[in-house]
């Protein structure tokens, strides 16, 4: 996957690190972009067929890496996003402006027909995942330590973009327990949370709901700033694997019931197979 790892020697890992941290970052200052929305554009509302969904833009890890292919397909008459990865790493993202204090729940649907053999997100040399949902946050970058400032400078130098203050990523892990927070060895500003684990529910449409506010507090031990972008990514570059996965709509809301129709379930995480 994105190797958020940094070393003093410029390897592909270091290049991908910069690309990953710039993916959900602000656009270059000289680039005029439309005002970010308070809502994530639905894949199911897309009029495209066999093309990118409207409102989303490519998230390129590195020109040195193959790109994961994304396109809108239809399942039972409903547009969904299909991802096909073969030793590749790239994603799609959308800039937003969402207050996680107000809209603290994120709900999404995903389906992974299979897991990635050998993937282990606790190791940078095998950190692939069939599906990911990535959230970037604004914040006070004066709090960056030396390593984070150095990484932010590299992001700006190599991508022309500003590194977000914090990045939270929900993943499907092979073995680690749901709720596990994975630290990054070289940047305190990027964390992964295991939202699904194991093979029990592969091949099923799952509706996932997470309390972003509580997850952020748990991961970073502070209050979050505004959410500035949302992304999805399917990657197999570290394991050299081939996989296909699917994404449904992503929604932020102020309650579990309005976000997922799962009223009464745990505010920390709600999981269920959508059949």
């Amino acid at each position: 996957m994105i190797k958020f790892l940094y070393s003093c020697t410029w390897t592909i890992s270091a290049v991908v690190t910069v690309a990953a941290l710039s993916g959900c970052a602000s656009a270059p200052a000289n680039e005029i972009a439309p005002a970010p929305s308070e809502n994530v554009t639905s894949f199911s509302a897309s009029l495209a067929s066999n093309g990118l969904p409207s409102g989303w833009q490519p998230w390129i890890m590195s020109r040195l890496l193959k790109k994961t292919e994304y396109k809108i397909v239809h399942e039972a008459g409903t547009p969904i996003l299909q991802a096909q990865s073969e030793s590749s790493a790239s994603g799609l993202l959308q800039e937003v402006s969402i207050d996680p204090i107000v809209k603290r729940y994120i709900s999404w649907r995903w389906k992974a027909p299979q897991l990635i053999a050998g993937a282990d997100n606790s190791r940078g040399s095998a950190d692939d995942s069939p599906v990911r949902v990535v959230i970037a946050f604004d914040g006070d970058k004066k709090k960056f330590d030396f390593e984070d400032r150095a990484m932010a400078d590299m992001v700006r130098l190599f991508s022309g973009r500003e590194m977000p203050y914090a990045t939270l990523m929900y993943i499907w892990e092979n073995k680690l327990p749901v709720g596990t927070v994975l630290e990054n060895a070289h940047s305190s500003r990027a964390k992964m949370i295991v939202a699904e684990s194991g093979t029990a529910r592969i091949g099923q449409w799952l509706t996932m709901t997470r309390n972003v506010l509580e997850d952020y507090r748990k991961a970073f031990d502070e209050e979050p700033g505004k959410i500035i972008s949302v992304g999805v990514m399917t990657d197999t570059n570290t394991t050299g694997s081939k996989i296909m996965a699917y994404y449904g709509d992503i929604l932020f809301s102020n309650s579990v019931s309005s976000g997922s129709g799962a009223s009464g379930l745990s505010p920390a995480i709600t999981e269920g197979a959508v059949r």
Side-chain angles (χ1 to χ4, degrees):
M1 158 333 238
I2 332 173
K3 297 177 177 162
F4 278 114
L5 305 178
Y6 165 72
S7 67
C8 293
T9 301
W10 276 103
T11 62
I12 290 182
S13 300
V15 174
V16 175
T17 298
V18 173
L21 290 176
S22 67
C24 283
S26 303
N30 60 353
E31 182 178 306
I32 300 176
S37 172
E38 294 184 358
N39 300 299
V40 181
T41 302
S42 300
F43 299 131
S44 62
S46 179
L47 299 178
S49 182
N50 293 319
L52 293 180
S54 58
W56 293 77
Q57 57 183 291
W59 171 13
I60 306 302
M61 297 294 103
S62 169
R63 287 177 293 181
L64 301 177
L65 292 173
K66 290 178 61 177
K67 300 178 183 63
T68 299
E69 296 180 3
Y70 296 92
K71 64 180 179 180
I72 291 295
V73 298
H74 289 76
E75 184 176 282
T78 300
I80 57 174
L81 182 68
Q82 174 184 285
Q84 185 168 354
S85 178
E86 184 173 359
S87 301
S88 61
S90 67
L92 297 180
L93 67 88
Q94 181 178 16
E95 293 184 358
V96 295
S97 179
I98 297 172
D99 186 346
I101 305 296
V102 177
K103 293 186 175 182
R104 62 185 62 189
Y105 295 99
I106 180 174
S107 298
W108 71 90
R109 298 173 67 235
W110 63 16
K111 180 170 70 171
Q114 66 186 82
L115 297 185
I116 301 171
D120 180 355
N121 282 269
S122 67
R123 298 189 296 116
S125 60
D127 56 350
D128 287 338
S129 181
V131 281
R132 303 177 185 271
V133 172
V134 186
I135 306 172
F137 297 82
D138 199 6
D140 183 4
K141 296 180 183 178
K142 293 178 182 178
K143 297 180 181 179
F144 279 1
D145 61 20
F146 176 79
E147 288 186 340
D148 294 327
R149 289 196 301 272
M151 182 64 72
D153 288 342
M154 286 192 295
V155 169
R156 190 180 305 110
L157 176 64
F158 284 88
S159 73
R161 292 173 175 262
E162 294 295 323
M163 188 177 89
Y165 175 72
T167 301
L168 193 62
M169 180 181 299
Y170 294 110
I171 64 173
W172 189 325
E173 235 286 316
N174 283 14
K175 297 179 180 180
L176 295 174
V178 169
T180 299
V181 177
L182 293 169
E183 304 286 336
N184 177 261
H186 297 281
S187 176
S188 63
R189 308 317 309 163
K191 305 287 178 71
M192 290 183 285
I193 293 182
V194 178
E196 180 66 16
S197 183
T199 61
R201 300 200 291 174
I202 59 173
Q204 303 178 44
W205 271 110
L206 303 180
T207 294
M208 315 299 294
T209 297
R210 299 286 311 196
N211 186 325
V212 175
L213 178 61
E214 294 304 322
D215 283 341
Y216 186 96
R217 287 169 172 169
K218 179 181 179 181
F220 296 102
D221 194 27
E222 63 180 12
E223 294 299 298
K226 278 195 172 183
I227 296 169
I228 56 176
S229 67
V230 178
V232 297
M233 187 174 69
T234 294
D235 56 285
T236 58
N237 63 297
T238 59
T239 58
S241 305
K242 180 179 180 180
I243 199 168
M244 188 173 290
Y246 303 91
Y247 297 88
D249 294 342
I250 300 171
L251 176 69
F252 285 88
S253 60
N254 58 10
S255 68
V256 175
S257 57
S258 65
S260 66
S263 180
L265 296 177
S266 167
I269 180 167
T270 304
E271 307 172 323
V274 179
R275 303 180 186 278

